[in-house]
Amino acid sequence: MKSFEYFKPQSLKEASELLIAHGENSHILNGGTDLVVRMRENLTTPDVIVDIKGIKELHNINYDEKEGLFVGACVKLSDMAHNKAVVENYSFLADAAETVGSGQVRNLATMAGNNVNASPLADTSTPLLALDAKVCIYGPNGEREVSIHDFFKGVRKTCLIHGEIVTGIKIPAYKGLKGVFIKNSRRKEVDLSTVCTTVVKVGNEIRIAMGAVAPTPIRAKEAEKLANGAELTDELINKIADMAASEAKPIDDVRASREYRIEMVRVMVRRSLEQLRA
């Protein structure tokens, strides 16, 4: 591993200033479960590491019945997955967090990092897309919030500019929310998603999000149009699942073929809708 300078700031302002002062080859360290691996393999070779874990407000997680859930950037996935408010109000998000890596990884990794990494197959991205979450950002131009739908720009690309830091993720409060997260992978545990889906029901509205089937996690908008306000009969569920599969644009890679992924979307969406109907 290439040598580097290490800083552990105590405030967002200090962290942002360090990133800007040291240029494009300075990197944020949060959980480090992706960055450290990439550094060991010389895929990423930073000159400067800015560790944000010393910034206290980034460790906050709280829930309000009107405002919803806020998960700070440094909240570990293991803590989030077992948080009472998350489990009671967003159980499928807790399920997604529990599928990320191993227990050891979840004791370091964060939901913010899982999404800043901008992998098409990030397990927590599809629940956030289905929930219309917002990403909270601090940077040289102040604070801003970005819809999760506008956050991803491509494989490992986000809307963040250098010097900006994700401070947390906001999720709206919903009444009568039900959802199902499903992950398909080669191994049952400790593996990346071959395909992952989140299907959510809010009143009469159905939302369908899919991962590992496009350059970024996506919503199946046309399938949602078929579902919304309609009774979920067996025939309609099959039509919705077929439409979602048609909206998937996956590639062939070492984990699966394009055809397999499309078929898995169809199967997973159908099973999720059947579960939500029950």
Side-chain angles (χ1 to χ4, degrees), residues 83-266:
N83 180 275
K84 182 179 179 182
V86 177
V87 172
E88 290 181 353
N89 296 284
Y90 310 93
S91 60
F92 53 94
L93 177 60
D95 292 341
E98 283 275 39
T99 70
V100 178
S102 63
Q104 294 95 325
V105 167
R106 293 190 293 274
N107 283 337
L108 291 172
T110 66
M111 181 163 68
N114 194 223
N115 287 273
V116 169
N117 190 36
S119 168
L121 49 76
D123 293 318
T124 62
S125 294
T126 58
L128 295 180
L129 280 173
L131 289 164
D132 288 340
K134 291 183 178 180
V135 182
C136 304
I137 300 166
Y138 175 92
N141 298 318
E143 298 180 3
R144 65 185 179 120
E145 293 183 5
V146 176
S147 167
I148 192 72
H149 301 285
D150 300 320
F151 184 70
F152 303 115
K153 296 300 181 184
V155 179
R156 293 190 176 274
K157 294 180 181 178
T158 70
C159 69
L160 294 172
I161 62 172
H162 190 68
E164 287 191 321
I165 301 163
V166 170
T167 59
I169 296 174
K170 285 184 177 179
I171 298 171
Y174 295 96
K175 290 185 178 179
L177 174 70
K178 295 171 64 178
V180 179
F181 170 82
I182 300 179
K183 174 175 179 173
N184 174 277
S185 56
R186 293 167 299 176
R187 295 193 303 268
K188 187 176 181 181
E189 305 287 346
V190 196
D191 201 0
L192 300 173
S193 290
T194 301
V195 180
C196 56
T197 59
T198 297
V199 181
V200 165
K201 188 172 188 290
V202 185
N204 291 322
E205 181 186 2
I206 296 291
R207 301 176 184 178
I208 301 167
M210 309 181 290
V213 297
T216 69
I218 60 171
R219 284 269 290 269
K221 292 292 189 178
E222 295 305 313
E224 291 177 357
K225 289 178 185 177
L226 285 176
N228 289 335
E231 181 184 355
L232 292 175
T233 62
D234 289 343
E235 182 181 2
L236 181 58
I237 285 174
N238 286 331
K239 286 182 178 179
I240 295 166
D242 288 342
M243 181 62 75
S246 73
E247 292 182 73
K249 307 297 180 187
I251 61 171
D252 297 311
D253 64 17
V254 295
R255 281 186 292 279
S257 67
R258 174 182 178 275
E259 291 75 16
Y260 177 80
R261 285 191 165 100
I262 290 172
E263 182 58 26
M264 283 302 98
V265 167
R266 182 178 287 109

